[in-house]
Amino acid sequence: MASGSTSMHSVEELEPLLAASKINLPNLLPEVQCILFADDYASEDTMLMEVTEEMISQLENGATLSVRGTTEDSAVLCTESATFEVKLREVSNALLVSPDVKTAACLDSAAPRTVTEKHIQYTHGGFLELRPLVPRCARAKHLLEEAPFTGLEFEFETEIGKKFTLEELLETVQSSRQELRQYLATTINTCEIDGKIRLLPHSYVHKLTERVLGWAAANSLPWESIPDYEASSALLELEPESVMRDFFWPKFSEKIGDTLRLLPDAIARTYAAVYLSAGDKTRCDQFQDWWRKTVPSVLSVDFREELLYGLAYKTEKETPAAYIYLAVEDLPTEPDKRFRRLFQERKKWPRDELVAYLSGTLTGSDTVEKLLTKFTKTITMDGNAFLISLSLI
Amino acid sequence: MVNIPLIRKLALLPGEKIPEWVILELQGDLQTECEILAGQEIGTLHLAAGTSSPQKSSAYGGMDSSFRGEGKAIFLIGNYALTGEIVSLKKPLALLRKAKQAGPTGDFISILEVDAVVRKKILFRERPRHIIPSCALPKTT
């Protein structure tokens, strides 16, 4: 290949070669680019990565993306709002990267014929490919479980574990900032207390609920219409302000004008979570009996199985029937692993119940429909439609 | 966990675009006996002018049928001719370079700098064609 000479060719010298290659000379652009390896050619410490135009403009505007790798999992790239798995894609071709080779559009077709020197700076045999990934936020839950918040009165216990700020979590969790925030706000129960993100266990949330209901009853306030200001301030002395302001009211009430209306279904579900999470399996008749006696009658929430979707499911054949505790936030986030796990738990699922177990597993252009088509098949039994695993067929 | 910031080239001025580079994609590998590649010549690259009506025949005989029109390229490497074309990449490639930067505590931390972006490549996907050596000898004048 390389002639070993760095001297420039003349146009005349190249003519016999071009003639032999049977290229019609008048049809070529007048600038001949003589390609050399750059004097400081060295490919180490560089790599090519497939990106999007959006990422380029973010970078040009000064944004910082981050590459996060752990020993257990593949590396990811995080932008402010999305997470991508980084995979090396090797190609059988040689990719010669040049800072100055010109493509036709930049060359003047009317210029005199010349030979110019152009350089190859790096050679690569592949590039890094980005694939949209569900952020690996479950790690945040494991970390937060080291020091759950169970009330101010327990904060001074010595065995309390490490607490984390959002920034500290981002150093360890393979997720973009926006996705982690979303996870902390919706998938699990957390609140920022004194600058640290704290996990609020079901039992503590249950305690908060009881306290709010007790306080409303004591003050003859209907649960449908709790004065906003009064509600917050009255409970402040007992709970950190942020727990009520940032967690409890947004999650368990809706704002109507100046008042807050509690959400009975969300509260009832909290009660169910405490009871069901205490064991792996609970007999259905016992659970429904407990529900009637325990869920505050003032909220008048009649038991419906859909209230347990994503929290527990009913056994298929066992007698007596039982609920198995299975919280959606404890399931794998990758779609294939999620479906495998769900169909290990139960061979056939009613559609709505299965869909409730898919939250937090959608990525990029995925939709629930696409996932269901990819992993499941509909069958009809006794007039009822169920989804079964495609891989079992 | 390793956490490496990825940023635009440090030397860029605010508002400046990341430079755009080009890739030459060759089938297989380049083989050489030279140990040091820096400064070595590879070959010459010839691009076709934008055309509509390719001229039939010239002083050099019949025109290569695969070499017509804008976007086509010929890469002459030694006695081989590679025919290729300019292709826009579906997704741009960023050229990342490992670098060090002073961190908040004064220690140097590893970063990745985006030195350049590649949106176009010249793809030589066909097998190199051997040029008849007697015709290919450079003039000795």
Side-chain angles (χ1 to χ4, degrees):
Chain A
M1 48 138 274
S3 67
S5 157
T6 56
S7 66
M8 290 281 286
H9 298 279
S10 67
V11 174
E12 292 73 28
E13 187 190 326
L14 291 165
E15 276 178 8
L17 271 173
L18 287 165
S21 68
K22 300 199 173 172
I23 301 164
N24 191 350
L25 204 59
N27 203 30
L28 294 177
L29 286 167
E31 185 176 332
V32 174
Q33 303 183 72
C34 180
I35 313 290
L36 299 91
F37 286 107
D39 288 339
D40 55 350
Y41 171 83
S43 303
E44 296 82 39
D45 292 340
T46 66
M47 62 203 98
L48 292 165
M49 185 169 77
E50 204 173 61
V51 292
T52 61
E53 287 295 343
E54 192 188 351
M55 286 179 197
I56 295 171
S57 44
Q58 285 172 356
L59 286 163
E60 282 174 341
N61 291 325
T64 300
L65 313 185
S66 63
V67 177
R68 300 187 187 145
T70 68
T71 47
E72 308 97 62
D73 272 316
S74 54
V76 304
L77 174 85
C78 298
T79 66
E80 180 65 21
S81 62
T83 307
F84 301 87
E85 188 170 25
V86 182
K87 288 260 181 192
L88 176 64
R89 181 147 152 223
E90 290 184 11
V91 292
S92 56
N93 292 354
L95 307 175
L96 278 55
V97 190
S98 168
D100 49 12
V101 163
K102 288 184 178 159
T103 52
C106 342
L107 293 175
D108 180 3
S109 58
R113 286 169 62 196
T114 51
V115 180
T116 54
E117 216 171 81
K118 298 294 165 62
H119 304 91
I120 298 301
Q121 194 70 48
Y122 311 110
T123 302
H124 290 287
F127 55 89
L128 301 171
E129 201 176 34
L130 300 181
R131 296 179 195 165
L133 180 80
V134 182
R136 299 180 171 132
C137 290
R139 178 149 177 77
K141 186 178 175 227
H142 297 315
L143 292 171
L144 295 174
E145 277 167 349
E146 284 185 31
F149 182 81
T150 51
L152 282 173
E153 59 272 41
F154 303 107
E155 276 297 274
F156 305 102
E157 292 191 358
T158 48
E159 68 267 30
I160 202 150
K162 183 166 165 34
K163 300 172 197 166
F164 297 86
T165 62
L166 185 69
E167 296 305 321
E168 286 164 342
L169 286 178
L170 280 169
E171 280 170 22
T172 315
V173 177
Q174 290 181 305
S175 167
S176 69
R177 179 183 300 268
Q178 199 172 311
E179 287 165 318
L180 182 59
R181 274 185 185 281
Q182 172 80 5
Y183 174 83
L184 295 173
T186 57
T187 308
I188 58 174
N189 291 332
T190 65
C191 183
E192 188 173 324
I193 299 167
D194 296 332
K196 307 280 186 181
I197 308 289
R198 305 293 296 278
L199 185 73
L200 309 177
H202 289 314
S203 54
Y204 173 71
V205 179
H206 175 246
K207 194 172 80 178
L208 276 184
T209 313
E210 295 260 276
R211 199 167 279 176
V212 170
L213 289 172
W215 165 82
N219 292 281
S220 309
L221 294 167
W223 61 267
E224 299 95 330
S225 178
I226 294 173
D228 191 3
Y229 171 77
E230 207 175 328
S232 300
S233 48
L235 291 154
L236 280 189
E237 287 173 20
L238 293 164
E239 303 305 332
E241 187 185 0
S242 61
V243 170
M244 298 310 295
R245 184 192 60 219
D246 303 333
F247 170 76
F248 189 85
W249 297 121
K251 206 151 189 169
F252 295 101
S253 72
E254 59 182 346
K255 203 161 183 182
I256 299 174
D258 289 338
T259 62
L260 299 166
R261 178 186 179 276
L262 291 177
L263 299 170
D265 284 357
I267 289 174
R269 199 173 147 93
T270 295
Y271 277 73
V274 174
Y275 187 72
L276 292 168
S277 64
D280 294 336
K281 193 192 262 189
T282 309
R283 273 176 55 171
C284 294
D285 52 354
Q286 284 178 358
F287 176 78
Q288 289 172 27
D289 192 39
W290 167 88
W291 179 284
R292 275 189 296 276
K293 288 178 188 154
T294 319
V295 174
S297 56
V298 62
L299 298 173
S300 47
V301 188
D302 290 331
F303 175 74
R304 315 185 301 283
E305 246 156 33
E306 67 192 63
L307 288 172
L308 304 184
Y309 286 0
L311 184 67
Y313 68 91
K314 199 172 177 177
T315 50
E316 280 176 287
K317 290 174 186 159
E318 253 174 75
T319 343
Y323 294 116
I324 308 284
Y325 177 69
L326 181 69
V328 65
E329 68 264 24
D330 294 332
L331 294 175
T333 46
E334 296 92 333
D336 54 334
K337 290 184 186 163
R338 172 81 59 106
F339 277 97
R340 201 177 312 142
R341 175 70 196 280
L342 287 168
F343 285 113
Q344 272 167 6
E345 294 281 338
R346 186 170 166 178
K347 290 209 166 42
K348 59 180 199 297
W349 289 83
R351 187 196 153 90
D352 289 350
E353 206 169 343
L354 186 70
V355 169
Y357 273 117
L358 297 185
S359 92
T361 193
L362 293 179
T363 154
S365 58
D366 273 347
T367 60
V368 166
E369 281 314 315
K370 275 191 194 172
L371 287 187
L372 292 181
T373 310
K374 189 172 174 188
F375 293 100
T376 71
K377 181 182 172 5
T378 307
I379 56 161
T380 308
M381 283 177 81
D382 305 328
N384 297 314
F386 292 97
L387 296 173
I388 60 167
S389 171
L390 255 191
S391 62
L392 291 178
I393 296 169
Chain B
M1 188 171 78
V2 187
N3 197 346
I4 306 168
L6 190 152
I7 57 170
R8 66 184 200 146
K9 192 176 176 177
L10 285 170
L12 285 185
L13 299 169
E16 201 180 341
K17 296 276 182 200
I18 299 172
E20 188 166 338
W21 291 17
V22 170
I23 283 179
L24 304 186
E25 182 169 340
L26 308 185
Q27 199 187 46
D29 265 335
L30 280 174
Q31 300 285 331
T32 175
E33 287 164 11
C34 304
E35 291 201 355
I36 297 166
L37 292 175
Q40 295 292 326
E41 183 191 319
I42 302 171
T44 53
L45 179 67
H46 310 259
L47 300 179
T51 89
S52 37
S53 54
Q55 295 166 15
K56 208 39 178 164
S57 174
S58 71
Y60 304 109
M63 204 185 89
D64 186 327
S65 62
S66 67
F67 195 69
R68 272 185 204 139
E70 198 168 1
K72 300 282 184 178
I74 284 273
F75 199 6
L76 298 179
I77 303 180
N79 289 335
Y80 286 92
L82 284 71
T83 314
E85 62 182 327
I86 298 166
V87 176
S88 292
L89 302 180
K90 276 186 197 149
K91 287 182 186 169
L93 288 167
L95 179 76
L96 314 183
R97 197 170 47 75
K98 291 181 194 166
K100 297 272 181 193
Q101 189 186 26
T105 53
D107 300 343
F108 280 92
I109 56 163
S110 295
I111 60 162
L112 288 167
E113 264 186 83
V114 179
D115 275 3
V117 178
V118 180
R119 293 187 176 91
K120 279 183 183 163
K121 66 180 176 185
I122 308 180
L123 173 61
F124 298 93
R125 88 172 89 218
E126 284 163 31
R127 287 181 66 81
R129 205 153 38 87
H130 194 238
I131 304 170
I132 302 163
S134 60
C135 303
L137 286 175
K139 281 180 184 169
T140 51
T141 50

